[in-house]
Every structure is written in C-alpha cells, then in structure tokens.
Amino acid sequence: MKNTVRVLLFAIIIGFSIYIIQNFTGSISSEWMITATTVLFTFSIIFIGFVIFLENRKPSQTITWLVVLGSFPLIGFLFYLVFGRNVRKKKLFDRKALVDEKIMFEIEGNQSTYEDRIDLMGDHQQMLFNLAHRLGHTPISFATRTKALTNGNETFGHIFGEIEKAKHHIHLEYYIVRHDEVGNKLKDALIKKAKEGVEVRFLYDSVGSWKLSKTYIKEMQQSGIDVVSFLPVKMPFLNNKVNFRNHRKIIVIDGTVGFVGGLNVGDEYLGKDEYFGFWRDTHLMVWGEAVRTLQMIFLQDWYYMTGENIVKKEYMTPSVQLEEHEGGVQIIAGGPDNKWEVIKNLFFSMITSAKDSIWIASPYFVPDEDILSALKVAALSGVDVRLLVPKRPDKKIVFYASRSYFLELLEAGVKIYEYEEGFMHSKIVIVDYELASIGTANMDMRSFHLNFEVNAFLYRTRSTQKLVDEYERDLKVSHEIIMDEFNKRPFRHKLYESMSRLLSPLL
C-alpha cells in the first residue's frame, strides 16, 4: 500500500471516530459510542504500529511510537503524521543526496589529501579523517587557517567586518534570523553591498525563522538580494517537512573567507535577552582551502531549493600557499539526506579513539544508545570524560531528557558540569587536547538523524588549543554535579526526567 494511501486511511479512521463523538451523542447510547470509538482507535493504533514495525526502525524508536500512540491515540496519530514517517524522509531527500554526492566528489574528490602529512598523525586520527573523507567526500586540508571566535561580540564583529570588504559575492545560510537590532544591522549591511553590485544570496530556514517578518524579507528582495526559505511549511500537520530543518549557519564571502559555528542571528546571541542573560557561544572563522567546502555546501542547498545551478569557477576558493604552521581542517555536512548519519558516526569515532580525554560542550544532550555506550565505556576505561551543559533550560523537555542520562554517566565516571554564568550554547567536542569538532550539531538525536548540520573537524590547529583553553575557563564558572547531590533532587524532577527520556528518540 502506498504511503499516501496509508495516511489517508489513518485520517479517515480518526476522522470517523471524531465524527461519531461529535454527532451521535444524542442519538445512540453512550455505551455504544464509547465501544465503537475504542474499537476504531485500537484498530488505528494497531495499523500504524504495524506500519512502523515494517519500517525496521531502531527498537527504542518503535517502542516509543507505540507507547505514544497507545497513551494518546489522537494526538499520537497527528504527531506521527508530522514527525514519524521514514518513507517520506527518503522520498524528500534521495535526489538531493545523489546530486550532492556527485558534485562534491567532482569538486573535492580529486583534491590532494596530503598523504605525507596524514602519515604523521596517530593511527586513530588517520582513521577519523579517512572516515570523514569517505562519508562526507571532503579531504582534510593543511592549507586552511582558522580562528575560534568567542561569543557574540567577537563573532559579529568579524562577520560585519568581512561583509564590508566583500567585492564579488556574499552567501549566507542560517537556521534563525530575527528582525531585531543585530538582524536589522545584518540586513542593512547586506542591502548596502547589494547596491554596490555585490551578489548576495540569503537562505534561511522557514521553521527556525518563522517569526521573521515579511517586511524584512521584502526590503532585502527589493534591494536585489536573492532570499529563499528552506523547505517552507504552509500546513504543518499535513506535511512532515516541518521535522527536517536546516540547522546550518554558514557565511561565505568572495570564496576566500567563511564562518561556521553555533551562533544564529539574534540579539540573544549578544546577551541581550533578560531570561538568558550572558550567552556563551563559539564560532569559527575560516580562510583557505576549506572555504571551498563551505561554499559547496551552500551552493548545493541553494540548488536543492531553487533549481539554480551556480557551481561555477568564480565561486570556488582560489589556490592558496601552504602554511606550514597550521594543522588539518575538514568541513563535514550531515543531514537526513545521508544514510550514514555522518556527524553522529564521526562523534562516535572521536569518542572511541580517545586515549586521554573527551571534553564535550552541548546545550542539548540527548545521545542515542551508541554515543551513550561509547561515553560510558571510555570513562570506565580511565579516559577523562567531561560534559558541559547549561544550568538554565530553554527547552524544558530536552533539558529534563538530558538530565535523565546523568546518573548512569556519573556512575561510569563521567564528570558533568552545569554552566552558571549564563546560557551555554557552544557545540564542542575535544579529544586528547589535539582533535576538535566545532559547528552546528548538538550532541542529540535531532542533530544526528533529522537536521541538516555542518561541522569543522580540526587537528592540531591554533583554534584547537584555543578551544581547550576556553573549555578550561568555562569549567571555572560551572558547578560540578556530584552523584550524592544529584540523587537528592526532588521527586518531581525525576518524574519529569523519566517522561522526557521516554520521548528522547523523538526529540
């Protein structure tokens, strides 16, 4: 049976149930009505459960869906239509995956991989970068320079400075763009450059930026800026595109400098939100070969949404001189269009390859069983495993789901810290003080399985050392969670955690 037919059948079943409840209360006995409704709901749950079973999901996901459908039949049904259909995911992104792989291989696949320099790495580091090359089709570059940017003031200062220097083109891709002070400053800067003849393309996520005003968009379009929304959703409950979001944050200017990292465009990223206060975040500035990969990711996303093929020589990074003092850099894109769960598998490889330390910072920590087991085994093996998370939640279900994992991690020897100076939004993984990941992906299932993400993997760069130094500073303004204290938390918190943990496979 076709997927659309199945969905239609589900809708008819639920609709008929609601119709009975609303229209026949007075003409038939309440006992008959309850029995008929129960039978219809039961049939619909069994049918949906059978479909989920045939999709060969992970057992935890299958059980979670069955529990949700059994506990909340009507709500669970609607939730499944929006968030649960794997077949729809495949149809949405198969073409994008094939095109992306072909183009990336043509552009990047024949680039020098600096085999002599890779041979100088440890065996486990070589394995990681070879895996990244195979999954992401991008080679490691030793002709790339990076700079880790701390928090909003430094990040936006460099972004606006580079935009002002633009001569040929500016490409931007963001999950959240707000019509506030910093958002308007960005809009004005882009309009200014567009009027100077610079090509400006702006791709924003339609769900992450759903509050972005039409006036904001219209002003940019009238100034000659190409503005496109990613996977627009007009009727969310009839279209599960809402579940697959572009969480990437990319800027490429003239093909020579790029930005990637955790910061979206909004005043809260400058610490101007009263609830969050100080906003701790990390971004990365990139020069050289790796900018080409950032450019390719943007151009492929642009092509997917517009059909406009602009993979042209003038947008590619010019050749640069090899800088002997810089380490290796590899830019990797992950998303629902890739069957290998690229970012998750690279995180797993980093964790399992660690010899001395694994330091993680993530605002949303909802690991799947693979990552959770890898962290516990590493800690039990004597590796220094540390996790830095926010103390104040912005999404309570995710916050409590995160805390539901703490006890077993603490028992394995993982050290967990809550950042107390404000809201911690950095997305960092550091292994053995020399290998690091920085980008848009959180350590959670949504980033692993549903969102389009992009991360930079760094090996012995100056930025790697800066990330190590800043992580140590962040720990000084954080509170370490001790097992005895954690066990004394209120019962209601334990209840919230258990309920949120149940939904983890869906977050």
Side-chain angles (χ1 to χ4, degrees), residues 1-121:
M1 186 182 294
K2 297 291 187 181
N3 191 51
T4 53
V5 176
R6 289 200 299 263
V7 172
L8 180 60
L9 180 58
F10 300 157
I12 291 172
I13 292 170
I14 298 300
F16 183 57
S17 301
I18 297 171
Y19 181 80
I20 289 175
I21 295 172
Q22 291 181 336
N23 295 281
F24 288 88
T25 303
S27 59
I28 58 177
S29 68
S30 59
E31 183 178 348
W32 188 94
M33 181 191 70
I34 293 172
T35 301
T37 303
T38 301
V39 170
L40 287 169
F41 273 132
T42 302
F43 178 74
S44 66
I45 292 167
I46 293 173
F47 196 64
I48 296 173
F50 183 68
V51 171
I52 293 172
F53 175 77
L54 290 178
E55 289 177 343
N56 290 322
R57 299 166 184 258
K58 292 181 179 179
S60 60
Q61 292 178 320
T62 300
I63 292 171
T64 299
W65 276 116
L66 293 178
V67 170
V68 170
L69 289 166
S71 303
F72 310 100
L74 180 56
I75 296 175
F77 165 75
L78 294 174
F79 205 67
Y80 173 75
L81 289 184
V82 177
F83 298 111
R85 291 172 288 159
N86 280 346
V87 175
R88 178 61 174 161
K89 167 184 171 180
K90 182 176 176 62
K91 290 181 178 179
L92 275 172
F93 303 121
D94 264 2
R95 183 176 67 86
K96 185 180 191 303
L98 290 173
V99 173
D100 286 0
E101 182 174 343
K102 179 177 181 293
I103 294 176
M104 191 66 81
F105 182 80
E106 289 176 353
I107 300 297
E108 298 284 15
N110 295 321
Q111 296 295 320
S112 170
T113 57
Y114 301 105
E115 291 183 2
D116 57 331
R117 288 173 172 262
I118 291 178
D119 288 340
L120 298 177
M121 295 180 177

